[in-house]
Amino acid sequence: MIRKGWTKLEAELSNETNVVVNLTKKNFQIIEAAADKLLAKHKGDVDAVYKDPVYKQLVDKYNDGDTRVINGAVAKQAKKFKVSAVDTTDADFGEVTTGTVILAAHGSRVKEQGKTVGTKLGRKTPEQIVALLTEQSDKSKNLSKDFKGTVLLSGCFTAAGGVPPSDDYDYAPFAMKVWNLLKKKGIKCKVSGLPGTAFTNADGSKKSVAPTDQDDYDALNADIKAFEASLKKQDKKLKSKDKATVAAANKEVKRLNDLIKAKKDSKLTKRMKDLVGNFGLDPIR
């Protein structure tokens, strides 16, 4: 059977507009205060600032590995949706009606009474996420009440949470909070998130660690980091002039590398494709 209103649905889908926003690309505030102090220390001498070892540390913090991970994930998702990714400064949701809005960043979490709960996305609270979507100074860029698509909170733990134990902590998933806030503004859409540690596939789709595996996954990664730290300590021994020391270090390096490989090959490092938490029904489908 062809469902009633199919022609309208087909037209809406063919005119979908999608937006991919990198919440971390411009995040200078991470180092802004320290950079100002460094400039003051050198009395405004920019060349002296560049030569200061602290400057390199600040640049490394600004361009850290985590940021590069998000940049790569954003590029894959932008390719999937056939759009150019933007940062928060250039985010424009005004023309989106039935498409997908992707907000990409690292997610934060806490653990309360044994339950993992997502707390922020790109250092933003649910209220700040909704403000980005609906309270821009240029009102034409805000998400309209006609939006009937999906907001994907593309970060770890954005759908983590759920039924609370018997205490007063708010265990509602981050994505659910965003969904509820959008509903209060009259926007009836779907908000999606990831329940665990998330990853972006080459084709731009998402996968996540299952909530039941998250503790084991965290323990596994802690082991990997410990082995990698031990591996780094062998560097000095490998440069020794004593052959016995070098031989012992080489043996230890092989042992540690084998342990790291075994951990990384463990089934616990596997993430489930399309494991996404959805809040709200897609109104047009």
Side-chain angles (χ1 to χ4, degrees):
M1 289 180 62
I2 296 179
R3 135 182 179 176
K4 184 179 178 181
W6 175 258
T7 303
K8 181 183 176 183
L9 172 62
E10 191 175 38
E12 287 179 322
L13 292 176
S14 66
N15 292 319
E16 277 192 352
T17 301
N18 306 297
V19 178
V20 178
V21 181
N22 187 336
L23 297 184
T24 63
K25 189 173 182 181
K26 287 188 176 179
N27 212 7
F28 183 70
Q29 63 266 31
I30 295 173
I31 64 166
E32 188 171 10
D36 287 343
K37 286 182 180 179
L38 193 60
L39 190 62
K41 171 187 172 182
H42 293 286
K43 299 178 180 178
D45 186 341
V46 176
D47 289 335
V49 170
Y50 290 159
K51 294 176 183 177
D52 194 312
V54 175
Y55 174 74
K56 184 181 183 304
Q57 294 172 11
L58 291 178
V59 171
D60 288 345
K61 186 174 183 179
Y62 180 60
N63 297 316
D64 65 10
D66 283 348
T67 300
R68 287 194 293 274
V69 168
I70 294 300
N71 289 346
V74 166
K76 294 172 186 175
Q77 291 173 99
K79 184 177 180 181
K80 174 185 177 181
F81 286 93
K82 300 177 182 178
V83 296
S84 296
V86 297
D87 56 44
T88 53
T89 305
D90 297 319
D92 185 347
F93 311 106
E95 295 183 3
V96 190
T97 55
T98 59
T100 301
V101 172
I102 295 178
L103 304 180
H106 286 291
S108 305
R109 60 170 162 166
V110 295
K111 198 163 188 178
E112 292 287 336
Q113 297 292 317
K115 184 179 288 293
T116 298
V117 183
T119 55
K120 290 185 177 181
L121 177 66
R123 296 186 173 88
K124 292 184 183 296
T125 63
E127 291 77 11
Q128 290 171 323
I129 291 292
V130 173
L132 171 66
L133 292 168
T134 65
E135 298 175 15
Q136 297 199 54
S137 56
D138 183 348
K139 296 187 185 303
S140 69
K141 293 184 176 182
N142 288 331
L143 203 61
S144 77
K145 291 183 180 180
D146 294 328
F147 176 63
K148 296 181 176 65
T150 300
V151 175
L152 171 59
L153 304 175
S154 183
C156 301
F157 310 110
T158 49
V163 180
S166 55
D167 61 42
D168 295 329
Y169 188 83
D170 186 358
Y171 290 87
F174 187 92
M176 178 183 281
K177 292 177 181 177
V178 171
W179 176 58
N180 281 323
L181 290 168
L182 286 172
K183 280 198 300 180
K184 288 180 180 178
K185 287 179 173 282
I187 299 174
K188 298 176 182 179
C189 64
K190 181 172 70 175
V191 178
S192 302
L194 288 307
T197 300
F199 186 78
T200 305
N201 299 306
D203 63 0
S205 61
K206 301 293 294 188
K207 58 185 175 182
S208 172
V209 171
T212 51
D213 292 335
Q214 190 64 53
D215 287 346
D216 289 335
Y217 181 85
D218 291 339
L220 178 143
N221 275 284
D223 287 344
I224 290 174
K225 287 181 179 179
F227 292 145
E228 288 175 340
S230 297
L231 193 60
K232 195 169 183 179
K233 290 179 181 178
Q234 301 303 314
D235 289 347
K236 189 175 181 180
K237 294 180 180 179
L238 290 170
K239 296 174 184 177
S240 172
K241 294 181 179 180
D242 181 66
K243 292 182 179 180
T245 300
V246 173
N250 276 319
K251 185 176 181 181
E252 180 65 2
V253 165
K254 183 181 182 308
R255 185 184 78 85
L256 290 168
N257 276 325
D258 287 344
L259 287 171
I260 291 170
K261 184 179 184 304
K263 290 286 182 180
K264 288 185 175 180
D265 287 344
S266 165
K267 67 178 182 179
L268 292 175
T269 63
K270 302 298 185 289
R271 301 162 187 174
M272 296 176 65
K273 187 173 181 180
D274 298 325
L275 181 61
V276 177
N278 296 311
F279 301 90
L281 297 175
D282 191 331
I284 72 163
R285 290 172 172 79

